[in-house]
Amino acid sequence: MRMSDWQRCPAAPSGGALSSRRLIGALALVVVTATCLGVTKLLSSVSRAAHPLWIKPAELDFGEIWAQRDFRWSIHVQNRGSETVTVSDVFLSCGCQGTVRPRSFAVPAGQRREVQLTLDLIAPEAAAGAERRVSLPIVFRLSEDMGVARFVLRGTVRDALKVAPRVIQFGQSLQEGGRSRGHRLTVQALVPLKTLQAEVHPPIGTVCIRRRASNERGYGVTFSPAANLPPGPLAAVLQLHGVTEDGQRIPPYPVPIEGTVVADIRAVPERLDLGVRIVGELAEGTVVLQSLAGRSFAVTRVSLCPPEKDALSATVEPPAEQAAAIHRLHVRLRVRRGHNDALMRVSVRCLESLKPRIMEIPINAYGYDSDSFHQRQY
């Protein structure tokens, strides 16, 4: 039986033809490999020639340190080129908290410049661990023809404490002259500690530390603000210091303290608006001073600015120097044409405090002529 042409199998190549094909393939592979290596070397040389800045490898490794809020480290940037290199900006590209100084400078050929870094190496609560390796990319922005220079600062950071919450926030719960409940922190030591110490800067309260019975490395830290804090914003830092079993003092773990101390004595209204009046009319109003805690206080002095007795006057009820929890200030103003702006300064003194407090209450009115066609507004 004769097989058709399409059923026939192609003849196998001879040994010589197969060897030739293998040789050609091998030569092609060598050519491609050589080309790739050449391109790689070319790109590598171009990358190395992109900028002449250099930093000693030892300065890019800070070794093993304890976690801390303000870790200071210096690096020296050397210019190995033949021309001056201008650095327009230096920054950390990892989103890390820290500062770089100076941010811009020039490095002459063959010289070097010192760059100081201040880094926040306190780990987020979820990432805190006994030991962690960190890599901090540092980017130098150069002139347009050079692009950027990148270096990586590496090291090992040891976390000694895990604190929750990480901020003591009182909001507006603090009242002048009153005692407030303390704010409690939960502290977990990640390494064996001999003692845990705490201090507040500035000293605006007291700290109590107790070791938890159920956890030999657990602590309860309670901060209680002082009762004599003045009204206004509250800003302080609670520093937690751990001391290891061999006596090594660990850098402080800072916990910010925030809030507002609300004044005990307040004025209602805080601004006395006597409205729009006819010129020459006698406008009257009352401001009430009241202690939120119901404490007795005295109004020691009332001064008016401008001090025009014929146009502006104020009387106190009860009379000055008498102690009471509520005082009323009756204000009378002889209205003049246009804006009538004044300021009443009231000196008050609580019986528990010898230091008086000055309160400022703005007073305003507007005067117009009765025969005018239009009543002018503010």
PDB file of all heavy atoms in Angstrom, residues 165-200:
ATOM      1  N   PRO A 165      -3.604  54.310  76.498  1.00  0.00           N
ATOM      2  CA  PRO A 165      -3.510  55.030  75.228  1.00  0.00           C
ATOM      3  C   PRO A 165      -2.197  55.798  75.141  1.00  0.00           C
ATOM      4  O   PRO A 165      -1.511  55.982  76.151  1.00  0.00           O
ATOM      5  CB  PRO A 165      -4.710  55.975  75.274  1.00  0.00           C
ATOM      6  CG  PRO A 165      -4.910  56.239  76.726  1.00  0.00           C
ATOM      7  CD  PRO A 165      -4.575  54.955  77.426  1.00  0.00           C
ATOM      8  N   ARG A 166      -1.875  56.271  73.958  1.00  0.00           N
ATOM      9  CA  ARG A 166      -0.597  56.933  73.739  1.00  0.00           C
ATOM     10  C   ARG A 166      -0.666  58.434  73.976  1.00  0.00           C
ATOM     11  O   ARG A 166       0.348  59.112  73.932  1.00  0.00           O
ATOM     12  CB  ARG A 166      -0.102  56.652  72.320  1.00  0.00           C
ATOM     13  CG  ARG A 166      -0.002  55.162  72.020  1.00  0.00           C
ATOM     14  CD  ARG A 166       0.595  54.894  70.678  1.00  0.00           C
ATOM     15  NE  ARG A 166       1.987  55.277  70.650  1.00  0.00           N
ATOM     16  CZ  ARG A 166       2.765  55.159  69.574  1.00  0.00           C
ATOM     17  NH1 ARG A 166       2.262  54.675  68.461  1.00  0.00           N
ATOM     18  NH2 ARG A 166       4.018  55.538  69.612  1.00  0.00           N
ATOM     19  N   VAL A 167      -1.871  58.960  74.211  1.00  0.00           N
ATOM     20  CA  VAL A 167      -2.067  60.376  74.519  1.00  0.00           C
ATOM     21  C   VAL A 167      -3.056  60.484  75.668  1.00  0.00           C
ATOM     22  O   VAL A 167      -4.091  59.805  75.669  1.00  0.00           O
ATOM     23  CB  VAL A 167      -2.595  61.159  73.294  1.00  0.00           C
ATOM     24  CG1 VAL A 167      -2.842  62.621  73.658  1.00  0.00           C
ATOM     25  CG2 VAL A 167      -1.616  61.061  72.130  1.00  0.00           C
ATOM     26  N   ILE A 168      -2.742  61.329  76.660  1.00  0.00           N
ATOM     27  CA  ILE A 168      -3.674  61.616  77.751  1.00  0.00           C
ATOM     28  C   ILE A 168      -4.490  62.831  77.336  1.00  0.00           C
ATOM     29  O   ILE A 168      -3.964  63.934  77.225  1.00  0.00           O
ATOM     30  CB  ILE A 168      -2.920  61.888  79.064  1.00  0.00           C
ATOM     31  CG1 ILE A 168      -2.153  60.638  79.489  1.00  0.00           C
ATOM     32  CG2 ILE A 168      -3.876  62.321  80.155  1.00  0.00           C
ATOM     33  CD1 ILE A 168      -1.322  60.832  80.742  1.00  0.00           C
ATOM     34  N   GLN A 169      -5.776  62.630  77.087  1.00  0.00           N
ATOM     35  CA  GLN A 169      -6.643  63.687  76.569  1.00  0.00           C
ATOM     36  C   GLN A 169      -7.754  63.970  77.583  1.00  0.00           C
ATOM     37  O   GLN A 169      -8.595  63.123  77.849  1.00  0.00           O
ATOM     38  CB  GLN A 169      -7.238  63.266  75.224  1.00  0.00           C
ATOM     39  CG  GLN A 169      -8.143  64.288  74.586  1.00  0.00           C
ATOM     40  CD  GLN A 169      -7.455  65.606  74.311  1.00  0.00           C
ATOM     41  OE1 GLN A 169      -7.662  66.578  75.046  1.00  0.00           O
ATOM     42  NE2 GLN A 169      -6.631  65.639  73.273  1.00  0.00           N
ATOM     43  N   PHE A 170      -7.740  65.199  78.136  1.00  0.00           N
ATOM     44  CA  PHE A 170      -8.758  65.597  79.096  1.00  0.00           C
ATOM     45  C   PHE A 170      -9.898  66.382  78.445  1.00  0.00           C
ATOM     46  O   PHE A 170     -10.953  66.549  79.062  1.00  0.00           O
ATOM     47  CB  PHE A 170      -8.138  66.458  80.206  1.00  0.00           C
ATOM     48  CG  PHE A 170      -7.347  65.671  81.204  1.00  0.00           C
ATOM     49  CD1 PHE A 170      -5.970  65.596  81.111  1.00  0.00           C
ATOM     50  CD2 PHE A 170      -7.980  64.995  82.234  1.00  0.00           C
ATOM     51  CE1 PHE A 170      -5.231  64.866  82.033  1.00  0.00           C
ATOM     52  CE2 PHE A 170      -7.258  64.263  83.165  1.00  0.00           C
ATOM     53  CZ  PHE A 170      -5.879  64.197  83.061  1.00  0.00           C
ATOM     54  N   GLY A 171      -9.692  66.874  77.224  1.00  0.00           N
ATOM     55  CA  GLY A 171     -10.729  67.692  76.604  1.00  0.00           C
ATOM     56  C   GLY A 171     -10.978  68.952  77.423  1.00  0.00           C
ATOM     57  O   GLY A 171     -10.050  69.662  77.804  1.00  0.00           O
ATOM     58  N   GLN A 172     -12.243  69.232  77.747  1.00  0.00           N
ATOM     59  CA  GLN A 172     -12.611  70.381  78.574  1.00  0.00           C
ATOM     60  C   GLN A 172     -13.189  69.927  79.915  1.00  0.00           C
ATOM     61  O   GLN A 172     -14.031  70.600  80.504  1.00  0.00           O
ATOM     62  CB  GLN A 172     -13.617  71.266  77.838  1.00  0.00           C
ATOM     63  CG  GLN A 172     -13.038  71.934  76.602  1.00  0.00           C
ATOM     64  CD  GLN A 172     -13.986  72.942  75.991  1.00  0.00           C
ATOM     65  OE1 GLN A 172     -15.175  72.951  76.274  1.00  0.00           O
ATOM     66  NE2 GLN A 172     -13.450  73.812  75.145  1.00  0.00           N
ATOM     67  N   SER A 173     -12.719  68.782  80.394  1.00  0.00           N
ATOM     68  CA  SER A 173     -13.231  68.253  81.658  1.00  0.00           C
ATOM     69  C   SER A 173     -12.544  68.850  82.877  1.00  0.00           C
ATOM     70  O   SER A 173     -12.991  68.628  84.006  1.00  0.00           O
ATOM     71  CB  SER A 173     -13.066  66.728  81.680  1.00  0.00           C
ATOM     72  OG  SER A 173     -11.688  66.372  81.630  1.00  0.00           O
ATOM     73  N   LEU A 174     -11.456  69.597  82.680  1.00  0.00           N
ATOM     74  CA  LEU A 174     -10.737  70.190  83.806  1.00  0.00           C
ATOM     75  C   LEU A 174     -11.318  71.559  84.127  1.00  0.00           C
ATOM     76  O   LEU A 174     -11.518  72.381  83.234  1.00  0.00           O
ATOM     77  CB  LEU A 174      -9.248  70.319  83.478  1.00  0.00           C
ATOM     78  CG  LEU A 174      -8.512  69.015  83.149  1.00  0.00           C
ATOM     79  CD1 LEU A 174      -7.066  69.297  82.806  1.00  0.00           C
ATOM     80  CD2 LEU A 174      -8.610  68.039  84.308  1.00  0.00           C
ATOM     81  N   GLN A 175     -11.563  71.806  85.402  1.00  0.00           N
ATOM     82  CA  GLN A 175     -12.132  73.075  85.841  1.00  0.00           C
ATOM     83  C   GLN A 175     -11.186  73.753  86.815  1.00  0.00           C
ATOM     84  O   GLN A 175     -10.599  73.102  87.683  1.00  0.00           O
ATOM     85  CB  GLN A 175     -13.485  72.851  86.513  1.00  0.00           C
ATOM     86  CG  GLN A 175     -14.188  74.138  86.915  1.00  0.00           C
ATOM     87  CD  GLN A 175     -15.574  73.850  87.459  1.00  0.00           C
ATOM     88  OE1 GLN A 175     -16.362  73.153  86.837  1.00  0.00           O
ATOM     89  NE2 GLN A 175     -15.860  74.383  88.629  1.00  0.00           N
ATOM     90  N   GLU A 176     -11.025  75.039  86.642  1.00  0.00           N
ATOM     91  CA  GLU A 176     -10.136  75.809  87.499  1.00  0.00           C
ATOM     92  C   GLU A 176     -10.535  75.651  88.970  1.00  0.00           C
ATOM     93  O   GLU A 176     -11.696  75.821  89.339  1.00  0.00           O
ATOM     94  CB  GLU A 176     -10.191  77.284  87.109  1.00  0.00           C
ATOM     95  CG  GLU A 176      -9.325  78.188  87.970  1.00  0.00           C
ATOM     96  CD  GLU A 176      -9.597  79.648  87.704  1.00  0.00           C
ATOM     97  OE1 GLU A 176     -10.621  79.953  87.056  1.00  0.00           O
ATOM     98  OE2 GLU A 176      -8.798  80.486  88.149  1.00  0.00           O
ATOM     99  N   GLY A 177      -9.543  75.314  89.796  1.00  0.00           N
ATOM    100  CA  GLY A 177      -9.787  75.180  91.221  1.00  0.00           C
ATOM    101  C   GLY A 177     -10.463  73.898  91.638  1.00  0.00           C
ATOM    102  O   GLY A 177     -10.685  73.671  92.829  1.00  0.00           O
ATOM    103  N   GLY A 178     -10.795  73.032  90.697  1.00  0.00           N
ATOM    104  CA  GLY A 178     -11.483  71.787  91.033  1.00  0.00           C
ATOM    105  C   GLY A 178     -10.581  70.584  90.850  1.00  0.00           C
ATOM    106  O   GLY A 178      -9.593  70.623  90.112  1.00  0.00           O
ATOM    107  N   ARG A 179     -10.921  69.524  91.521  1.00  0.00           N
ATOM    108  CA  ARG A 179     -10.172  68.276  91.390  1.00  0.00           C
ATOM    109  C   ARG A 179     -10.865  67.381  90.365  1.00  0.00           C
ATOM    110  O   ARG A 179     -12.075  67.205  90.414  1.00  0.00           O
ATOM    111  CB  ARG A 179     -10.077  67.560  92.735  1.00  0.00           C
ATOM    112  CG  ARG A 179      -9.236  68.317  93.757  1.00  0.00           C
ATOM    113  CD  ARG A 179      -8.967  67.473  94.985  1.00  0.00           C
ATOM    114  NE  ARG A 179      -8.080  68.157  95.907  1.00  0.00           N
ATOM    115  CZ  ARG A 179      -6.761  68.147  95.819  1.00  0.00           C
ATOM    116  NH1 ARG A 179      -6.176  67.475  94.846  1.00  0.00           N
ATOM    117  NH2 ARG A 179      -6.020  68.789  96.698  1.00  0.00           N
ATOM    118  N   SER A 180     -10.080  66.849  89.475  1.00  0.00           N
ATOM    119  CA  SER A 180     -10.631  65.980  88.434  1.00  0.00           C
ATOM    120  C   SER A 180     -10.116  64.561  88.628  1.00  0.00           C
ATOM    121  O   SER A 180      -9.119  64.326  89.317  1.00  0.00           O
ATOM    122  CB  SER A 180     -10.239  66.490  87.048  1.00  0.00           C
ATOM    123  OG  SER A 180      -8.836  66.466  86.903  1.00  0.00           O
ATOM    124  N   ARG A 181     -10.798  63.633  88.020  1.00  0.00           N
ATOM    125  CA  ARG A 181     -10.386  62.238  88.090  1.00  0.00           C
ATOM    126  C   ARG A 181      -9.090  62.035  87.313  1.00  0.00           C
ATOM    127  O   ARG A 181      -8.855  62.642  86.273  1.00  0.00           O
ATOM    128  CB  ARG A 181     -11.484  61.350  87.525  1.00  0.00           C
ATOM    129  CG  ARG A 181     -12.798  61.425  88.283  1.00  0.00           C
ATOM    130  CD  ARG A 181     -13.851  60.572  87.613  1.00  0.00           C
ATOM    131  NE  ARG A 181     -13.420  59.184  87.500  1.00  0.00           N
ATOM    132  CZ  ARG A 181     -14.125  58.233  86.885  1.00  0.00           C
ATOM    133  NH1 ARG A 181     -15.282  58.549  86.308  1.00  0.00           N
ATOM    134  NH2 ARG A 181     -13.680  56.995  86.827  1.00  0.00           N
ATOM    135  N   GLY A 182      -8.249  61.149  87.830  1.00  0.00           N
ATOM    136  CA  GLY A 182      -6.992  60.871  87.159  1.00  0.00           C
ATOM    137  C   GLY A 182      -7.198  60.099  85.863  1.00  0.00           C
ATOM    138  O   GLY A 182      -8.240  59.479  85.633  1.00  0.00           O
ATOM    139  N   HIS A 183      -6.198  60.147  85.019  1.00  0.00           N
ATOM    140  CA  HIS A 183      -6.225  59.453  83.733  1.00  0.00           C
ATOM    141  C   HIS A 183      -5.282  58.254  83.825  1.00  0.00           C
ATOM    142  O   HIS A 183      -4.115  58.394  84.169  1.00  0.00           O
ATOM    143  CB  HIS A 183      -5.781  60.397  82.619  1.00  0.00           C
ATOM    144  CG  HIS A 183      -6.196  59.956  81.257  1.00  0.00           C
ATOM    145  ND1 HIS A 183      -5.682  58.832  80.652  1.00  0.00           N
ATOM    146  CD2 HIS A 183      -7.087  60.472  80.377  1.00  0.00           C
ATOM    147  CE1 HIS A 183      -6.220  58.693  79.456  1.00  0.00           C
ATOM    148  NE2 HIS A 183      -7.076  59.664  79.266  1.00  0.00           N
ATOM    149  N   ARG A 184      -5.785  57.069  83.491  1.00  0.00           N
ATOM    150  CA  ARG A 184      -5.029  55.834  83.682  1.00  0.00           C
ATOM    151  C   ARG A 184      -4.446  55.327  82.367  1.00  0.00           C
ATOM    152  O   ARG A 184      -5.112  55.331  81.332  1.00  0.00           O
ATOM    153  CB  ARG A 184      -5.919  54.752  84.299  1.00  0.00           C
ATOM    154  CG  ARG A 184      -5.203  53.430  84.587  1.00  0.00           C
ATOM    155  CD  ARG A 184      -6.159  52.422  85.201  1.00  0.00           C
ATOM    156  NE  ARG A 184      -5.550  51.114  85.366  1.00  0.00           N
ATOM    157  CZ  ARG A 184      -4.812  50.749  86.397  1.00  0.00           C
ATOM    158  NH1 ARG A 184      -4.597  51.619  87.376  1.00  0.00           N
ATOM    159  NH2 ARG A 184      -4.290  49.540  86.483  1.00  0.00           N
ATOM    160  N   LEU A 185      -3.189  54.886  82.441  1.00  0.00           N
ATOM    161  CA  LEU A 185      -2.501  54.268  81.314  1.00  0.00           C
ATOM    162  C   LEU A 185      -2.198  52.815  81.643  1.00  0.00           C
ATOM    163  O   LEU A 185      -1.930  52.467  82.801  1.00  0.00           O
ATOM    164  CB  LEU A 185      -1.185  54.989  81.007  1.00  0.00           C
ATOM    165  CG  LEU A 185      -1.235  56.475  80.658  1.00  0.00           C
ATOM    166  CD1 LEU A 185       0.177  57.008  80.506  1.00  0.00           C
ATOM    167  CD2 LEU A 185      -2.026  56.702  79.390  1.00  0.00           C
ATOM    168  N   THR A 186      -2.215  51.972  80.613  1.00  0.00           N
ATOM    169  CA  THR A 186      -1.788  50.582  80.751  1.00  0.00           C
ATOM    170  C   THR A 186      -0.433  50.439  80.080  1.00  0.00           C
ATOM    171  O   THR A 186      -0.290  50.718  78.885  1.00  0.00           O
ATOM    172  CB  THR A 186      -2.800  49.625  80.099  1.00  0.00           C
ATOM    173  OG1 THR A 186      -4.069  49.776  80.740  1.00  0.00           O
ATOM    174  CG2 THR A 186      -2.338  48.189  80.234  1.00  0.00           C
ATOM    175  N   VAL A 187       0.559  50.016  80.852  1.00  0.00           N
ATOM    176  CA  VAL A 187       1.932  49.911  80.355  1.00  0.00           C
ATOM    177  C   VAL A 187       2.374  48.454  80.444  1.00  0.00           C
ATOM    178  O   VAL A 187       2.246  47.819  81.501  1.00  0.00           O
ATOM    179  CB  VAL A 187       2.891  50.809  81.164  1.00  0.00           C
ATOM    180  CG1 VAL A 187       4.311  50.681  80.632  1.00  0.00           C
ATOM    181  CG2 VAL A 187       2.424  52.256  81.106  1.00  0.00           C
ATOM    182  N   GLN A 188       2.890  47.951  79.331  1.00  0.00           N
ATOM    183  CA  GLN A 188       3.411  46.590  79.278  1.00  0.00           C
ATOM    184  C   GLN A 188       4.898  46.654  78.950  1.00  0.00           C
ATOM    185  O   GLN A 188       5.293  47.211  77.922  1.00  0.00           O
ATOM    186  CB  GLN A 188       2.681  45.764  78.219  1.00  0.00           C
ATOM    187  CG  GLN A 188       3.170  44.334  78.083  1.00  0.00           C
ATOM    188  CD  GLN A 188       2.831  43.484  79.295  1.00  0.00           C
ATOM    189  OE1 GLN A 188       1.829  43.724  79.968  1.00  0.00           O
ATOM    190  NE2 GLN A 188       3.664  42.502  79.583  1.00  0.00           N
ATOM    191  N   ALA A 189       5.741  46.114  79.831  1.00  0.00           N
ATOM    192  CA  ALA A 189       7.180  46.071  79.583  1.00  0.00           C
ATOM    193  C   ALA A 189       7.486  44.927  78.627  1.00  0.00           C
ATOM    194  O   ALA A 189       7.065  43.789  78.849  1.00  0.00           O
ATOM    195  CB  ALA A 189       7.934  45.901  80.891  1.00  0.00           C
ATOM    196  N   LEU A 190       8.219  45.226  77.558  1.00  0.00           N
ATOM    197  CA  LEU A 190       8.584  44.213  76.571  1.00  0.00           C
ATOM    198  C   LEU A 190       9.925  43.569  76.881  1.00  0.00           C
ATOM    199  O   LEU A 190      10.313  42.601  76.216  1.00  0.00           O
ATOM    200  CB  LEU A 190       8.605  44.839  75.174  1.00  0.00           C
ATOM    201  CG  LEU A 190       7.282  45.475  74.724  1.00  0.00           C
ATOM    202  CD1 LEU A 190       7.443  46.100  73.349  1.00  0.00           C
ATOM    203  CD2 LEU A 190       6.161  44.452  74.719  1.00  0.00           C
ATOM    204  N   VAL A 191      10.636  44.115  77.861  1.00  0.00           N
ATOM    205  CA  VAL A 191      11.896  43.544  78.336  1.00  0.00           C
ATOM    206  C   VAL A 191      11.830  43.521  79.864  1.00  0.00           C
ATOM    207  O   VAL A 191      11.085  44.305  80.466  1.00  0.00           O
ATOM    208  CB  VAL A 191      13.110  44.366  77.853  1.00  0.00           C
ATOM    209  CG1 VAL A 191      13.236  44.314  76.339  1.00  0.00           C
ATOM    210  CG2 VAL A 191      13.013  45.804  78.325  1.00  0.00           C
ATOM    211  N   PRO A 192      12.578  42.648  80.510  1.00  0.00           N
ATOM    212  CA  PRO A 192      12.557  42.620  81.981  1.00  0.00           C
ATOM    213  C   PRO A 192      13.049  43.949  82.559  1.00  0.00           C
ATOM    214  O   PRO A 192      14.100  44.457  82.173  1.00  0.00           O
ATOM    215  CB  PRO A 192      13.510  41.471  82.323  1.00  0.00           C
ATOM    216  CG  PRO A 192      13.554  40.622  81.098  1.00  0.00           C
ATOM    217  CD  PRO A 192      13.404  41.556  79.946  1.00  0.00           C
ATOM    218  N   LEU A 193      12.271  44.523  83.476  1.00  0.00           N
ATOM    219  CA  LEU A 193      12.615  45.798  84.096  1.00  0.00           C
ATOM    220  C   LEU A 193      12.783  45.621  85.597  1.00  0.00           C
ATOM    221  O   LEU A 193      12.071  44.838  86.234  1.00  0.00           O
ATOM    222  CB  LEU A 193      11.524  46.843  83.836  1.00  0.00           C
ATOM    223  CG  LEU A 193      11.299  47.291  82.395  1.00  0.00           C
ATOM    224  CD1 LEU A 193      10.203  48.347  82.343  1.00  0.00           C
ATOM    225  CD2 LEU A 193      12.578  47.828  81.770  1.00  0.00           C
ATOM    226  N   LYS A 194      13.714  46.401  86.123  1.00  0.00           N
ATOM    227  CA  LYS A 194      13.882  46.457  87.571  1.00  0.00           C
ATOM    228  C   LYS A 194      12.862  47.404  88.178  1.00  0.00           C
ATOM    229  O   LYS A 194      12.207  47.085  89.175  1.00  0.00           O
ATOM    230  CB  LYS A 194      15.304  46.908  87.902  1.00  0.00           C
ATOM    231  CG  LYS A 194      15.606  46.967  89.387  1.00  0.00           C
ATOM    232  CD  LYS A 194      17.051  47.402  89.613  1.00  0.00           C
ATOM    233  CE  LYS A 194      17.374  47.468  91.099  1.00  0.00           C
ATOM    234  NZ  LYS A 194      18.793  47.902  91.314  1.00  0.00           N
ATOM    235  N   THR A 195      12.712  48.574  87.570  1.00  0.00           N
ATOM    236  CA  THR A 195      11.723  49.558  88.015  1.00  0.00           C
ATOM    237  C   THR A 195      11.189  50.321  86.816  1.00  0.00           C
ATOM    238  O   THR A 195      11.807  50.341  85.744  1.00  0.00           O
ATOM    239  CB  THR A 195      12.332  50.572  89.015  1.00  0.00           C
ATOM    240  OG1 THR A 195      13.422  51.257  88.368  1.00  0.00           O
ATOM    241  CG2 THR A 195      12.811  49.895  90.280  1.00  0.00           C
ATOM    242  N   LEU A 196      10.044  50.961  87.025  1.00  0.00           N
ATOM    243  CA  LEU A 196       9.467  51.877  86.047  1.00  0.00           C
ATOM    244  C   LEU A 196       9.255  53.211  86.749  1.00  0.00           C
ATOM    245  O   LEU A 196       8.596  53.273  87.789  1.00  0.00           O
ATOM    246  CB  LEU A 196       8.140  51.347  85.501  1.00  0.00           C
ATOM    247  CG  LEU A 196       7.426  52.257  84.488  1.00  0.00           C
ATOM    248  CD1 LEU A 196       8.251  52.388  83.212  1.00  0.00           C
ATOM    249  CD2 LEU A 196       6.033  51.724  84.163  1.00  0.00           C
ATOM    250  N   GLN A 197       9.815  54.276  86.184  1.00  0.00           N
ATOM    251  CA  GLN A 197       9.733  55.603  86.776  1.00  0.00           C
ATOM    252  C   GLN A 197       8.983  56.538  85.837  1.00  0.00           C
ATOM    253  O   GLN A 197       8.897  56.290  84.629  1.00  0.00           O
ATOM    254  CB  GLN A 197      11.135  56.149  87.063  1.00  0.00           C
ATOM    255  CG  GLN A 197      11.972  55.249  87.956  1.00  0.00           C
ATOM    256  CD  GLN A 197      13.426  55.691  88.045  1.00  0.00           C
ATOM    257  OE1 GLN A 197      13.839  56.634  87.374  1.00  0.00           O
ATOM    258  NE2 GLN A 197      14.202  55.006  88.872  1.00  0.00           N
ATOM    259  N   ALA A 198       8.448  57.630  86.412  1.00  0.00           N
ATOM    260  CA  ALA A 198       7.683  58.585  85.608  1.00  0.00           C
ATOM    261  C   ALA A 198       7.868  59.983  86.165  1.00  0.00           C
ATOM    262  O   ALA A 198       8.051  60.175  87.370  1.00  0.00           O
ATOM    263  CB  ALA A 198       6.202  58.217  85.593  1.00  0.00           C
ATOM    264  N   GLU A 199       7.820  60.962  85.266  1.00  0.00           N
ATOM    265  CA  GLU A 199       7.885  62.373  85.647  1.00  0.00           C
ATOM    266  C   GLU A 199       7.130  63.191  84.610  1.00  0.00           C
ATOM    267  O   GLU A 199       6.982  62.770  83.455  1.00  0.00           O
ATOM    268  CB  GLU A 199       9.332  62.851  85.768  1.00  0.00           C
ATOM    269  CG  GLU A 199      10.168  62.590  84.540  1.00  0.00           C
ATOM    270  CD  GLU A 199      11.646  62.858  84.777  1.00  0.00           C
ATOM    271  OE1 GLU A 199      12.076  62.862  85.947  1.00  0.00           O
ATOM    272  OE2 GLU A 199      12.362  63.053  83.780  1.00  0.00           O
ATOM    273  N   VAL A 200       6.643  64.359  85.037  1.00  0.00           N
ATOM    274  CA  VAL A 200       5.830  65.216  84.178  1.00  0.00           C
ATOM    275  C   VAL A 200       6.557  66.535  83.956  1.00  0.00           C
ATOM    276  O   VAL A 200       7.061  67.147  84.905  1.00  0.00           O
ATOM    277  CB  VAL A 200       4.446  65.477  84.808  1.00  0.00           C
ATOM    278  CG1 VAL A 200       3.586  66.321  83.867  1.00  0.00           C
ATOM    279  CG2 VAL A 200       3.749  64.165  85.117  1.00  0.00           C
TER     280      VAL A 200
END
